[in-house]
Amino acid sequence: MKVSLFIPCTVDLMMPEIGVAVYKLLSRLGAEPVYHANQTCCGQPLYNAGYREQAKRAAKHFIEVFGEDDIIVSPSGSCVSMVKHHYPELLCDETSWYNRAFELSGRIFEFSQFVVDILCVTDVGASFSGKVTYHESCHIYRALGISHHPKKLIAAVKGTQLVEMSNATACCGFGGEFSVGFPEISEAMVKDKAENFLNTGADVLVLNEPGCLLNINGYLHRNYPQKRAMHLASFLYENSVEVNHA
Amino acid sequence: MHNRVDKFREIASREMQNELSRAFLLMLSLGAPIMRQIGMSSFPDPDCAEAYGRAIRAEAIERMPELLEEFEKNAEASGAKVIWAKDAGEANAAVLKIAKERNISYVTKGKSMVTEETGLNEHLIENGVDVFESDLGEVITQMLGRLPFHIVGPALNVPPGEISDIFLKKGIIKEPTDIFLKKGIIKEPTENPVELGRAARVFLREKFRRLEMGIVGVNMAVAETGTIINVENEGNIRMNKSSPKTLVAIMSLEKVVPTMTDALHMARILSRNCTGQKLTGYVSMDTGPKKPGEIDGPEELFIIIVDNGRSEIYRDVKVREILRCIRCGACLNTCPVYSKIGGYPYGFSYSGPMGQIINPMLLGIGSTADLYRACTLCGACKNICPAGIDHPSLLLEYRARQKGQGNMPVFERMTATAASVAMASGSLWSIGAKCARPLLNSFAKDGYIKNMPLVAKGWFACRDLRAMPRKTFREMWKELNKSSADKKESI
Amino acid sequence: MNSPSRDEILSRLKSARKIAPTERPAAPVLSERALNSGQMLERFTAELAAQTGTTYTAKGVQDARRILSEIAAAEGFKKVITAGIDTHGVDIKSWGREGAVNVLTHEELKDRESLREAAFTADAGITFADFAVAETGTIGIVFDKDQPRLASIAPPVHIAIVPVEKLYPVYEDVIEKVFADKNKIPGHFAFITGPSATADIQAIGFKGMHGPVKVMVIFIVNGEK
């Protein structure tokens, strides 16, 4: 099946290796990923800041780019949530755009949800001997209601021991502009997240939200440079058989 | 009440350095949700109970105008006197008038958030009527002259030593006659919460005994019967409803509930969400003043219905759902931001997520930006809210209103528009990335940016940022696609 | 009563856009209604015990008097206040005389002042309760000319006497009766669950804030007058 990749701005600009991982994994699992080169950003930063007119511009572009795709997959839950839940509301006073947005909302999937529910795969052929723990990002856990999918994928990695972190569902303190606008509070929150991670004794923290990743890895690099967090797609891909043998 | 929202950041900073507050907030954020969870799971079907409660509140607010009229009609038929107050000034003036007409020298008060909002206590005291809060948390908060730390327990965070000091200063601890305890009442400072509570009991008992006018809030105003319902554990509200000849009950518009059966369900929901209890110790229901021949209870019951901005909120359909709030405080206990800063920074009688959605509408969007922006939109509050309020949506709406008000600085508008134009064109986006890379990476050392002047300083206070890679995903795509096309068999 | 403010507020509200409320989902099942009378008593006792209250069952009024005497002796009552002479068939004045406890019934008190004096100095308040609810070990009291309010809130001990036939599974069963006739709704009705309590200092919970510190409930089973 053809799958259209929606690579969020954070991944495109700052962590393209996640996009590569998604592409390679989905290819290997039998989906045929395509990538529309004129995609940009879902507009969430503008929307969250309150620039609705400007966010509409981004939304309309997105709908134009992805409008014909049967399935859209993205490694960012917050972006998927933006498209699914906020595009229709954002465009509610322009009927034809609203209809297109509403219709699109049924065709966009978060990465782990797509692999488990649509491709019906839990074992992607990866192996990692070590302890792994998982951070439940706010948009994925609460806005999209996704929690079992990523954990199933991690647990199926041969040799991996998935351990639970305390307060795994607590917000990491990113919140986009919040991390810059309210740095002290944000720091207190990401500090807790990092400490909870360290207390599990896990070798790596896995999560599937790029924003959280920037935040947590940024903090870890400054304060605990030997520890790191990885995107789920990167974790699965980098530990896959073919990469290890390459 | 005078608000201190403009001090949000300063007070948040101060509170985060307060060891005692932090320790207490940690305990609250871990313990309270568990208590709530235990309470909710005592329902045979918690999801059903929650959905039903949300439906009741949604309906109550949609039908609010007709329910208020029905409530008023039934309350007056039972002998209550209903007074409508369009703003804080009118509400305060109405209470003062009642007190003055009856030569009241002091009142005792049950906990009422709307009276904190209107600043009733200050108004009465300024005009010669002494006010004694009677809910223990409010007693302490009133004496210390502070904002509430938490909507349910306004003085939860105050260390017993501080309470002891203020009790000594205000004469709560001295040597009154002990009519209750077998052993003597404390005569010396104590840090024992139970003894402090006992001292407050003895002090207020004298006030209850000679009380001529009591003031209470209202948890639910039942339209079907004209009944006001209060839930409490301490018994001070029942004291106010039993001892004096005059009782004043103050409610804001949104307290209406359609029927008694609805009220019972909401009592179960409120108790569990508030304290984890299945039902609070006292649920008292007043329909009019006392009847002829009764020896105690109020001869006059005044019900003051306060608007103070709520009818405007009601008309503002996008934010109408704020009025569903039942003041349970569950959102505070689950908010990751509140659990770092406590109630003081929010600067008004309402704190936490419910304060963040209510205060901007009561105080104005223009002066409350910190309140609707100090949020990661994590959704924990919305998830747990028994009234079904969508806090993140409301905060996003306020942010949009702030920016849409047409007074955005030109530079800001230009930047946002430029960003949106870049987001509307793949090639512009690409060009933008190419320009940003050298600029951003000029601050990088060994592949990481540790600081940047001006922009995004807040990020770098505790975090690094990996330098922008040489190629964006878009730039890598051509090779990626080509090489995979070549290697198609091996994948 | 009409006023400009009332008109202003109501007109603002009524001219707002109306949104029809969505239909309600199914009401929750009140599972306590499946309890039989034995189970209700068990449930009531356990729930009240969890709030540090004590439940007694008296086989008739004589037994109730005996239980009252036990409690009075254990707590050292000198003076108690009660509603009327007849507390569900228990002749409380004669009980008082027998046990040398000064029993003040509110019928003997002429006005609010003397009631307050009595209630705030009594060791206990003995009330008859109109209802009990198994769901949470709750009693329901209708306050009227035969039942003063202060007797159950001011003294440090509250003893409620209830015929066991008035024990119902859930609050709804009680409210249905109390609010049945719109013209006969009592001025004051309260559900009381255990003693007064607070946790306002450092979330440390304790019993006995402004209301009673102890609550006892005596069910009269097979009541004989």
Side-chain angles (χ1 to χ4, degrees):
Chain A
M1 68 180 83
K2 271 209 166 52
V3 161
S4 182
L5 296 179
F6 162 34
I7 302 298
C9 59
T10 42
V11 171
D12 182 42
L13 300 173
M14 305 303 290
M15 299 174 288
E17 68 274 13
I18 297 175
V20 173
V22 171
Y23 170 73
K24 298 268 191 184
L25 274 170
L26 291 183
S27 303
R28 177 155 43 86
L29 295 175
E32 298 159 47
V34 298
Y35 172 77
H36 300 312
N38 56 345
Q39 64 183 268
T40 56
C41 167
C42 67
Q44 192 187 176
L46 293 174
Y47 180 75
N48 285 358
Y51 304 117
R52 292 230 171 144
E53 285 313 306
Q54 291 81 356
K56 273 190 197 171
R57 208 173 267 128
K60 289 177 179 175
H61 179 74
F62 184 98
I63 293 171
E64 287 290 340
V65 170
F66 291 97
E68 304 296 308
D69 297 313
D70 288 333
I71 298 178
I72 307 156
V73 176
S74 180
S76 164
S78 65
C79 302
V80 170
S81 175
M82 176 71 198
V83 174
K84 266 176 105 89
H85 302 136
H86 295 290
Y87 274 14
E89 179 207 319
L90 185 60
L91 298 162
C92 68
D93 48 3
E94 295 182 61
T95 316
S96 74
W97 282 110
Y98 171 83
N99 288 335
R100 291 172 75 182
F102 187 78
E103 195 270 330
L104 182 66
S105 69
R107 295 189 266 119
I108 183 165
F109 299 92
E110 181 273 327
F111 167 73
S112 70
Q113 180 193 29
F114 175 74
V115 172
V116 174
D117 282 352
I118 314 277
L119 290 183
C120 301
V121 169
T122 44
D123 186 343
V124 303
S127 59
F128 174 82
S129 39
K131 261 199 211 163
V132 171
T133 190
Y134 176 71
H135 160 66
E136 312 238 24
S137 304
C138 299
H139 283 91
I140 291 178
Y141 181 69
R142 277 178 281 271
L144 297 174
I146 294 169
S147 179
H148 297 301
H149 307 69
K151 289 187 272 199
K152 275 194 181 137
L153 289 169
I154 298 170
V157 174
K158 290 182 228 350
T160 293
Q161 187 197 355
L162 177 58
V163 296
E164 203 182 310
M165 178 167 63
S166 73
N167 279 349
T169 61
C171 180
C172 73
F174 177 59
E177 63 173 59
F178 177 84
S179 59
V180 171
F182 295 92
E184 259 186 284
I185 308 176
S186 175
E187 178 179 348
M189 291 165 73
V190 72
K191 178 170 187 286
D192 277 357
K193 187 58 66 173
E195 282 170 7
N196 288 336
F197 162 40
L198 295 171
N199 287 339
T200 61
D203 300 296
V204 67
L205 169 63
V206 174
L207 47 88
N208 46 345
E209 185 64 57
C212 302
L213 197 56
L214 283 176
N215 180 37
I216 296 172
N217 262 344
Y219 185 84
L220 287 173
H221 188 266
R222 172 76 64 89
N223 300 281
Y224 302 98
Q226 327 86 322
K227 297 304 237 181
R228 63 169 183 157
M230 290 179 82
H231 192 280
L232 175 66
S234 303
F235 175 72
L236 295 174
Y237 174 64
E238 287 177 27
N239 291 301
S240 326
V241 176
E242 93 229 21
V243 173
N244 289 339
H245 284 184
Chain B
M1 173 192 269
H2 176 69
N3 81 76
R4 286 164 240 177
V5 179
D6 58 333
K7 301 244 183 303
F8 180 88
R9 288 165 190 270
E10 188 188 310
I11 299 178
S13 195
R14 185 195 78 199
E15 285 298 301
M16 283 196 282
Q17 285 155 49
N18 182 330
E19 290 286 340
L20 287 171
S21 290
R22 278 169 48 189
F24 179 76
L25 284 166
L26 182 63
M27 183 187 76
L28 182 75
S29 64
L30 293 175
I34 292 175
M35 299 298 291
R36 179 197 170 271
Q37 185 55 31
I38 293 174
M40 287 303 287
S41 53
S42 70
F43 279 123
D45 185 344
D47 289 339
C48 172
E50 187 173 67
Y52 199 69
R54 289 178 173 177
I56 291 175
R57 283 309 289 162
E59 185 186 312
I61 296 311
E62 293 312 323
R63 294 178 54 207
M64 194 170 81
E66 87 200 46
L67 289 174
L68 281 168
E69 282 190 301
E70 192 188 344
F71 171 75
E72 179 195 42
K73 178 164 116 310
N74 289 319
E76 286 183 337
S78 68
K81 299 189 191 138
V82 177
I83 300 172
W84 297 71
K86 66 174 196 269
D87 55 29
E90 264 190 21
N92 295 343
V95 180
L96 182 65
K97 179 161 180 277
I98 295 166
K100 287 298 188 190
E101 280 171 355
R102 288 152 189 77
N103 289 317
I104 302 294
S105 60
Y106 77 90
V107 297
T108 58
K109 261 185 84 214
K111 187 172 160 69
S112 161
M113 299 314 298
V114 72
T115 62
E116 294 186 32
E117 183 189 316
T118 64
L120 175 66
N121 292 8
E122 290 76 19
H123 185 73
L124 291 176
I125 292 169
E126 271 165 29
N127 286 282
V129 180
D130 224 347
V131 177
F132 297 99
E133 290 285 353
S134 56
D135 174 276
L136 182 59
E138 296 291 347
V139 172
I140 298 165
T141 315
Q142 180 188 30
M143 288 187 181
L144 290 170
R146 289 200 196 156
L147 285 171
F149 184 79
H150 186 285
I151 191 172
V152 174
L156 281 176
N157 61 318
V158 182
E162 236 180 290
I163 301 174
S164 179
D165 286 344
I166 197 74
F167 274 14
L168 264 177
K169 264 204 202 94
K170 301 276 183 174
I172 306 266
I173 311 177
K174 43 183 185 182
E175 62 287 349
T177 50
D178 173 10
I179 56 171
F180 164 61
L181 291 180
K182 302 281 192 271
K183 33 189 192 251
I185 201 71
I186 47 172
K187 293 184 190 355
E188 283 160 8
T190 176
E191 302 216 353
N192 182 331
V194 181
E195 288 183 29
L196 288 168
R198 295 276 187 265
R201 175 195 168 100
V202 171
F203 177 77
L204 281 161
R205 222 166 148 76
E206 271 315 295
K207 306 287 180 249
F208 289 137
R209 188 165 161 171
R210 298 180 292 116
L211 193 62
E212 295 299 315
M213 174 168 146
I215 301 176
V216 297
V218 171
N219 290 104
M220 294 181 256
V222 184
E224 184 185 36
T225 54
T227 303
I228 57 168
I229 300 183
N230 293 73
V231 308
E232 56 161 337
N233 282 307
E234 293 188 14
N236 56 310
I237 296 178
R238 281 187 64 211
M239 281 288 195
N240 277 294
K241 288 180 168 186
S242 308
S243 187
K245 284 208 294 229
T246 305
L247 176 64
V248 177
I250 306 182
M251 59 179 268
S252 47
L253 302 181
E254 69 268 38
K255 299 298 187 178
V256 279
V257 179
T259 64
M260 280 303 303
T261 339
D262 289 339
L264 291 175
H265 182 72
M266 292 317 297
R268 290 186 178 99
I269 290 284
L270 177 59
S271 303
R272 284 162 174 79
N273 277 276
C274 212
T275 56
Q277 292 174 286
K278 290 197 269 197
L279 195 73
T280 52
Y282 305 113
V283 180
S284 56
M285 310 179 182
D286 287 61
T287 315
K290 74 175 183 69
K291 305 261 183 287
E294 291 180 20
I295 192 171
D296 57 7
E299 286 168 11
E300 292 179 292
L301 168 60
F302 292 92
I303 303 175
I304 302 183
I305 302 181
V306 181
D307 182 342
N308 205 27
R310 287 153 173 81
S311 57
E312 282 310 312
I313 291 173
Y314 185 78
R315 294 175 65 78
D316 191 343
V317 175
K318 277 210 169 121
V319 305
R320 186 183 282 183
E321 71 184 76
I322 300 171
L323 299 173
R324 298 182 194 174
C325 177
I326 61 174
R327 310 292 194 261
C328 70
C331 55
L332 275 68
N333 300 335
T334 201
C335 174
V337 172
Y338 175 88
S339 71
K340 293 281 171 249
I341 65 179
Y344 299 150
Y346 299 82
F348 201 48
S349 30
Y350 309 111
S351 62
M354 54 87 69
Q356 290 174 283
I357 59 167
I358 292 175
N359 298 348
M361 295 312 293
L362 292 178
L363 304 173
I365 298 269
S367 57
T368 51
D370 282 344
L371 293 185
Y372 48 85
R373 290 190 182 271
C375 172
T376 60
L377 306 171
C378 81
C381 48
K382 169 187 174 177
N383 209 31
I384 212 176
C385 177
I389 298 173
D390 186 345
H391 307 66
S393 263
L394 288 161
L395 296 176
L396 286 167
E397 175 65 27
Y398 301 159
R399 295 179 188 187
R401 289 187 186 192
Q402 184 203 26
K403 295 304 179 191
Q405 258 163 14
N407 48 10
M408 227 198 291
V410 175
F411 180 69
E412 191 184 334
R413 186 191 301 281
M414 274 170 51
T415 314
T417 304
S420 73
V421 168
M423 288 176 190
S425 152
S427 40
L428 278 178
W429 177 263
S430 229
I431 293 169
K434 284 197 173 70
C435 294
R437 187 180 290 113
L439 202 57
L440 199 67
N441 290 350
S442 67
F443 298 103
K445 215 177 125 188
D446 299 324
Y448 280 85
I449 303 167
K450 294 210 170 265
N451 204 356
M452 267 169 64
L454 295 171
V455 176
K457 250 195 125 33
W459 178 273
F460 296 102
C462 65
R463 283 167 285 239
D464 295 336
L465 184 66
R466 199 180 70 176
M468 200 170 151
R470 275 183 308 109
K471 292 195 169 174
T472 61
F473 180 83
R474 192 166 184 266
E475 284 159 351
M476 292 168 79
W477 171 252
K478 263 216 205 69
E479 302 157 22
L480 203 63
N481 200 19
K482 182 173 177 298
S483 75
S484 89
D486 292 345
K487 281 204 230 152
K488 214 169 177 170
E489 316 295 71
S490 64
I491 290 170
Chain C
M1 51 183 100
N2 279 325
S3 69
S5 291
R6 176 187 185 277
D7 295 338
E8 208 181 301
I9 296 170
L10 279 173
S11 83
R12 264 205 292 267
L13 290 174
K14 288 200 226 176
S15 61
R17 195 174 112 206
K18 290 200 189 327
I19 299 172
T22 47
E23 210 180 292
R24 291 192 188 186
V29 167
L30 301 170
S31 58
E32 284 81 8
R33 282 192 167 141
L35 298 172
N36 64 35
S37 48
Q39 290 166 326
M40 279 203 290
L41 196 51
E42 244 178 70
R43 171 73 177 262
F44 182 97
T45 308
E47 292 284 342
L48 186 57
Q51 303 306 322
T52 75
T54 320
T55 311
Y56 299 89
T57 41
K59 298 184 200 5
V61 294
Q62 288 312 314
D63 202 21
R65 290 166 70 109
R66 181 191 58 78
I67 293 169
L68 279 173
S69 303
E70 263 174 37
I71 297 171
E75 300 290 326
F77 293 161
K78 304 262 190 310
K79 184 166 94 172
V80 306
I81 180 170
T82 179
I85 305 175
D86 182 336
T87 317
H88 286 312
V90 179
D91 181 346
I92 211 80
K93 274 300 241 199
S94 72
W95 170 82
R97 280 191 299 270
E98 275 174 25
V101 177
N102 182 7
V103 174
L104 279 167
T105 70
H106 92 283
E107 289 160 354
E108 298 167 305
L109 299 164
K110 58 177 164 54
D111 57 16
R112 185 188 299 263
E113 278 322 304
S114 31
L115 174 71
R116 296 210 279 201
E117 169 67 32
F120 278 90
T121 54
D123 297 321
I126 302 178
T127 66
F128 53 82
D130 301 273
F131 305 98
V133 181
E135 183 177 346
T136 43
T138 301
I139 56 176
I141 304 185
V142 172
F143 295 93
D144 53 25
K145 59 176 173 47
D146 299 320
Q147 179 85 271
R149 305 176 188 205
L150 283 170
S152 61
I153 191 71
V157 179
H158 175 205
I159 305 173
I161 304 182
V162 195
V164 80
E165 300 78 47
K166 299 295 192 174
L167 174 59
Y168 291 96
V170 294
Y171 321 123
E172 281 77 356
D173 297 327
V174 170
I175 291 301
E176 204 171 81
K177 295 176 168 41
V178 175
F179 287 80
D181 185 344
K182 240 184 157 183
N183 301 315
K184 295 212 186 105
I185 299 175
H188 190 64
F189 172 81
F191 279 130
I192 299 171
T193 310
S196 66
T198 188
D200 270 352
I201 298 178
Q202 297 279 299
I204 294 167
F206 58 89
K207 301 293 185 197
M209 191 50 225
H210 297 292
V213 186
K214 285 193 185 168
V215 166
M216 292 118 177
V217 175
I218 304 177
F219 283 107
I220 303 190
V221 182
N222 306 318
E224 23 169 287
K225 296 227 157 102

